[in-house]
Each structure stands twice: as C-alpha cells, then as structure tokens.
C-alpha cells in the first residue's frame, strides 16, 4: 500500500486565486508525488485564509487536517506537503513551532517542497540541530506579515483621517462609491427602509428575513465560518443579519473599524 501525501495549498489574498501561487504550489506537489511514488490527496486547502492570525489552524483546513490526524482518519506515516513554512503558519514563531511539533509527534512526515526537506521524529532523531533552522523561517514569516499588517493599518488610518472614500468590502451593503463619494444604491435603500418599517410594526427579525426570501429579494450579507472568516456570499436572508442591520450605527452615518490584536477582533476608531 502506497504512502498517502496530503498536499496543503494556502493563500491569504483572494487575488492570488488566479495567479502563480496556486499553480506553483500544485506543480511542486505533483512533482514530489511523481518522484517519490506517493498517492497524492487534495482534501485540504485554504483559499483566502490568513495564517498570520492562525485562521488556517483554528477554523481552516489545516486545523481540519490536524483534527483528522488525531482521530485517525489521516494515518500516521502520511505526508503533509507544503511549499514552505510560510504556507503552514505565519503566527508567532513559538505558536508555529508548537503546531509543527504537534504534527510531527502524531507520526506525520512534513515535507517543505521549496527546499526538498522532510521533517519527522525519525529524521530529527540524532539530528535535532536541524530544529535550529526551523525557527528562523517561522520568525521571518511572522515578521513579514506583522510589518505588512502594521503598514496597511497605518495607510488606512491616514486615508480615513484625510477623508478619502475607498470602495471596500467593509462599506455598508446599501452604499456604492461614485466619484469619490458614498451614494445610496436606490433599490437597496428601499429594502433597508422596508426592513426598519416592518420591525417598527412589530414583525420579528426572523419573520422579516423570511418575507424577504419569499419575495425573491437577493440577500446582501456574507456567509462566515466560525471566528469570522469569510466563506462567500450568502444566498438567503437570515434573522441574524437583519439584527446586525438594526444594531449597527452605519444607518446613522457612522462606521466602526476593527483590527485584530492577537486572535481577538477589536473595535478601533469610528469614521463619521
């Protein structure tokens, strides 16, 4: 019976879905499988999932892989193929190292395809000095992402302070950006007014959602995995989203910005 090799492909920026990143990771995994005679499996992939905040480990497919290892669904001796340590984790190096050692202790062989290295308890036995080469990779991956995050936050803050209007996913769903200004999308503005009027008349949020769905009105919201990771656009209205509209201050002209501090999403400054 051939050894099973699980190719783990990850990227954090949605724009990379059609670029060279996925193709490169895929080609490297295919080449490894052909050279080493292993059975390639593509069950685990994180598209547009951050490794800096650890979402690929906590709610993504890397976490699912680890759970399947613990349950025995993925057998000891299997290989996990990654392009490099930065695909695997960009968390702080000690968290990354803990995840790395957890996988190895479970009997998995981790293969970094970019340098052709395989990592396992067997290959490290008697060669533990190799671990000293792991931490710098993890520290560099974390530092790069941290610096990028800080630059991005600074740039967005400066834009907000200067009054620049940017068409981002964080803008309210009923607004568009026209000639550098927010404009209400007429049809959605009417729907928003309808929602508030129905709530004011005593109809509950779940009932409002059902009525919108029954009338064939396309939903605005997004579907999320646990812990806030986007999973795509939702197809129907939900009472929880109606409640979010009611509780939010966007309808009175304010926008609450957030940022991640560690693993916690916290509010920062408000834009009027």
């Amino acid at each position: 019976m051939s050894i099973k090799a699980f190719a783990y492909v990850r990227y954090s920026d949605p724009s990379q879905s059609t670029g060279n990143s996925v193709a490169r990771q895929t080609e490297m995994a295919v080449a490894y499988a052909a050279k080493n005679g292993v059975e390639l499996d593509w069950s685990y992939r994180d598209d547009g999932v951050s490794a800096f905040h650890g979402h690929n480990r906590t709610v993504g497919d890397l976490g699912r892989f680890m759970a399947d290892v613990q349950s025995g669904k993925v057998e000891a001796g299997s290989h996990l193929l990654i392009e490099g340590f930065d695909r695997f984790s960009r968390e702080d190096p000690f968290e990354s190292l803990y995840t790395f050692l957890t996988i190895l202790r479970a009997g998995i062989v981790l293969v970094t395809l970019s340098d052709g290295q395989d990592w396992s308890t067997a290959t490290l036995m008697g060669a533990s000095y190799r671990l000293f080469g792991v931490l710098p990779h993890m520290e560099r991956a974390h530092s790069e992402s941290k610096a990028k995050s800080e630059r991005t936050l600074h740039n967005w803050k400066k834009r907000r302070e200067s009054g620049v209007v940017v068409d981002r996913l964080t803008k309210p769903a009923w607004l568009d950006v026209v000639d550098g200004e927010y404009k209400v999308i007429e049809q959605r503005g009417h729907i928003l007014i309808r929602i508030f009027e129905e709530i004011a008349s005593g109809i509950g949020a779940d009932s409002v959602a059902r009525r919108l769905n029954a009338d064939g009105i396309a939903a605005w919201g997004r579907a999320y995995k646990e812990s806030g990771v986007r999973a795509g656009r939702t197809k129907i209205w939900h009472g929880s989203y109606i409640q979010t509209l009611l509780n939010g201050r966007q309808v009175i002209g304010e926008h609450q910005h957030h940022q991640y501090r560690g693993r916690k999403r916290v509010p920062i400054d408000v834009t009027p």
Side-chain angles (χ1 to χ4, degrees):
M1 184 177 179
S2 62
I3 295 173
K4 208 161 195 178
F6 296 89
Y8 175 65
V9 174
R10 186 196 68 79
Y11 59 88
S12 56
D13 189 337
S15 65
Q16 294 176 287
S17 62
T18 56
N20 294 328
S21 177
V22 172
R24 185 179 63 252
Q25 293 178 67
T26 301
E27 290 168 4
M28 294 174 78
V30 170
Y32 177 87
K35 180 179 179 181
N36 294 276
V38 295
E39 179 187 350
L40 201 54
D41 187 292
W42 300 95
S43 298
Y44 304 95
R45 172 170 167 158
D46 280 318
D47 297 329
V49 179
S50 171
F52 177 55
H53 298 298
H55 290 158
N56 62 326
R57 176 180 59 82
T58 57
V59 296
D61 268 11
L62 179 62
R64 186 165 65 87
F65 173 81
M66 295 175 68
D68 288 345
V69 169
Q70 295 298 321
S71 70
K73 184 176 179 180
V74 173
E75 296 180 356
S78 299
H79 292 193
L80 177 63
L81 312 182
I82 58 174
E83 180 184 24
F85 285 115
D86 56 346
R87 296 295 172 192
F88 174 75
S89 177
R90 285 182 177 271
E91 293 185 89
D92 74 73
F94 298 104
E95 190 70 61
S96 298
L97 183 62
Y98 179 79
T99 303
F100 169 75
L101 293 175
T102 298
I103 288 177
L104 264 55
R105 291 184 65 195
I108 301 300
V109 178
L110 182 68
V111 180
T112 46
L113 298 170
S114 58
D115 58 9
Q117 298 287 313
D118 63 289
W119 307 85
S120 68
T121 54
T123 58
L124 289 173
M125 192 64 67
S128 57
Y129 62 88
R130 293 181 63 206
L131 286 173
F132 290 104
V134 174
L135 271 174
H137 285 289
M138 295 177 173
E139 188 169 17
R140 181 168 60 250
H142 177 70
S143 296
E144 288 172 353
S145 289
K146 184 178 180 181
K148 181 179 178 181
S149 176
E150 290 174 347
R151 285 196 304 270
T152 301
L153 288 172
H154 176 75
N155 290 339
W156 281 116
K157 184 176 181 180
K158 288 295 183 184
R159 288 188 173 202
R160 292 196 298 272
E161 290 173 349
S162 64
V164 174
V165 175
V166 182
D167 185 7
R168 293 283 291 173
L169 291 173
T170 54
K171 68 176 174 56
W174 60 90
L175 296 183
D176 202 354
V177 177
V178 179
D179 297 329
E181 295 183 353
Y182 286 126
K183 300 292 183 182
V184 176
I185 302 170
E186 185 175 358
Q187 182 185 23
R188 292 191 172 188
H190 292 317
I191 295 170
L192 187 64
I193 292 171
R194 167 183 165 171
I195 290 171
F196 274 81
E197 287 179 343
E198 291 190 359
I199 291 292
S201 71
I203 300 174
D206 289 337
S207 295
V208 170
R210 284 194 293 269
R211 289 160 67 96
L212 291 170
N213 291 327
D215 289 345
I217 297 174
W220 307 341
R222 291 183 172 271
Y224 289 84
K225 298 179 182 179
E226 294 178 9
S227 298
V229 178
R230 286 191 178 98
R233 192 168 292 280
T234 186
K235 296 180 180 179
I236 64 172
W237 291 88
H238 295 277
S240 58
Y241 182 69
I242 300 297
Q243 200 62 53
T244 297
L245 292 177
L246 300 174
N247 294 338
R249 298 181 63 83
Q250 291 94 331
V251 291
I252 61 172
E254 291 183 1
H255 179 63
Q256 176 66 68
H257 300 276
H258 293 79
Q259 72 179 70
Y260 280 96
R261 291 177 183 165
R263 298 185 185 86
K264 188 175 182 181
R265 185 171 179 264
V266 297
I268 49 174
D269 51 320
V270 173
T271 299

